[in-house]
Amino acid sequence: MKKWLTIRGKLLEDPKTREEYQKLPLVHIAVQIINARKSKGLTQADLAGLVGTSQSAIVRLEKGNYLGYSLKTLQKIAAALDATVEINFCPKPQHS
């Protein structure tokens, strides 16, 4: 594990790599929404109807680069998908 932390630290010294690395949680959220929606057999329009929003709003949430997530919206989506929202605080990576 220490070797990975060293490698990651070196990679994150590059500002562009660090910027992309910090976007990963957004992609993770989008993938979770997509997978949960599909596992329920729902279209984006179906999910939008259950959540009380537009299909274009669901499209934005599923893009992986959306920055406007609110806890309230995520909770509505989770409820529509029979899921829960879990939030974790993680330490920032250490730079060498």
Side-chain angles (χ1 to χ4, degrees):
M1 182 68 156
K2 185 171 172 92
K3 187 173 185 174
W4 161 243
L5 293 175
T6 301
I7 293 168
R8 185 181 67 180
K10 293 282 185 200
L11 290 171
L12 294 177
E13 288 175 4
D14 175 60
K16 288 186 181 201
T17 302
R18 187 171 48 252
E19 180 182 342
E20 292 303 313
Y21 180 82
Q22 290 170 343
K23 292 179 185 176
L24 288 176
L26 300 176
V27 173
H28 183 68
I29 292 169
V31 168
Q32 288 184 80
I33 293 170
I34 292 166
N35 289 341
R37 175 179 58 76
K38 287 183 176 182
S39 75
K40 295 288 183 184
L42 299 173
T43 65
Q44 290 174 330
D46 295 334
L47 180 57
L50 292 171
V51 173
T53 191
S54 66
Q55 181 180 356
S56 62
I58 300 300
V59 169
R60 277 192 307 275
L61 293 167
E62 291 185 354
K63 277 193 176 180
N65 62 354
Y66 182 67
L67 296 172
Y69 293 107
S70 72
L71 182 56
K72 183 177 180 178
T73 299
L74 292 175
Q75 288 173 323
K76 285 181 182 181
I77 290 170
L81 298 171
D82 296 321
T84 61
V85 175
E86 186 176 293
I87 298 172
N88 297 301
F89 286 84
C90 303
K92 289 183 178 180
Q94 298 294 318
H95 301 294
S96 302

